[in-house]
Amino acid sequence: MKSDSLVSHTWRDNPIQRLLVNCAVTIGSLLVCLLILPTRFPGMELASIGPNWLLIWVVAWSVNRSTLQGALAGITLGLIQDGMTAPSPTHILSLVAVGVLTARLRKGRYIQEDFISVALIAFGTAVVAETVMAIQYCFQADRSLIEIWRYHQLIALSSAILSSLWAPVVYFPLNRWWQWIESLEQV
């Protein structure tokens, strides 16, 4: 039975390795969302608008976290999205609003079912995010207000519907993973 004492510990037993694996899963999921953000798969768009994958990731991250963590996620992903697209108008404001609103909302008080609550949170925050973007377009003054708000309705509704449908697909695996890691840290 000497071989039992020589068995190496798995990454679950080592807090540093556990932290590295947790970071790898978190960053990996973020990279997947970043890679599918500019793609348009057949059947995944409505009125030529796709789901807002970074908004979905910020919602999944912020649901069980503090307001500061939600805001930091919004700032980070907003900077990344601004780097991938035009920096004006900035995506930072809309994603920070999403992170803060999601973190401040205590979904357990209002809705018990995770699938429904995550979908509703994603729907509401997508409308807020698109409204923040529309307000920024108003300040640029290169388009008329009528044109901006007419397209805002289409974009906000399409983005909200698609993001709310796909949010549970991102949220559930990540939430299970993060809960499992937290349970290992408590042991």
Side-chain angles (χ1 to χ4, degrees):
M1 295 294 168
K2 285 185 178 181
S3 64
D4 288 340
S5 64
L6 297 176
V7 174
S8 66
H9 294 282
T10 63
W11 60 268
R12 296 177 201 152
D13 299 329
N14 186 335
I16 295 173
Q17 288 179 344
R18 190 171 51 235
L19 176 68
L20 291 174
V21 171
N22 189 25
C23 288
V25 169
T26 302
I27 292 171
S29 67
L30 177 58
L31 288 175
V32 168
C33 287
L34 283 169
L35 290 173
I36 61 176
L37 183 66
T39 60
R40 296 288 186 248
F41 296 112
M44 284 185 54
E45 59 183 4
L46 186 61
S48 300
I49 296 165
N52 189 338
W53 294 103
L54 295 184
L55 178 135
I56 293 169
W57 197 93
V58 170
V59 167
W61 174 263
S62 302
V63 163
N64 296 319
R65 297 218 167 36
S66 70
T67 305
L68 178 63
Q69 290 173 325
L72 289 175
I75 290 169
T76 304
L77 296 185
L79 286 170
I80 292 171
Q81 191 169 8
D82 284 348
M84 292 174 61
T85 61
S88 179
T90 182
H91 295 89
I92 296 170
L93 298 176
S94 60
L95 290 176
V96 166
V98 168
V100 168
L101 287 174
T102 304
R104 300 276 307 174
L105 181 67
R106 300 291 176 231
K107 69 177 179 64
R109 284 192 347 205
Y110 305 108
I111 304 169
Q112 296 300 318
E113 182 62 42
D114 275 344
F115 180 82
I116 294 169
S117 64
V118 169
L120 287 174
I121 291 168
F123 186 92
T125 56
V127 171
V128 169
E130 295 303 335
T131 303
V132 169
M133 293 298 288
I135 290 170
Q136 290 182 64
Y137 277 116
C138 290
F139 288 122
Q140 287 183 344
D142 60 342
R143 298 179 188 160
S144 72
L145 292 177
I146 294 172
E147 180 184 7
I148 291 170
W149 290 106
R150 183 180 315 132
Y151 286 117
H152 167 262
Q153 294 171 6
L154 174 68
I155 292 168
L157 189 58
S158 299
S159 176
I161 290 170
L162 290 171
S163 297
S164 66
L165 290 174
W166 283 99
V169 174
V170 173
Y171 170 76
F172 279 117
L174 289 177
N175 188 46
R176 298 283 183 231
W177 173 262
W178 291 325
Q179 285 178 350
W180 186 65
I181 289 296
E182 286 177 9
S183 69
L184 288 176
E185 291 173 354
Q186 294 173 357
V187 173

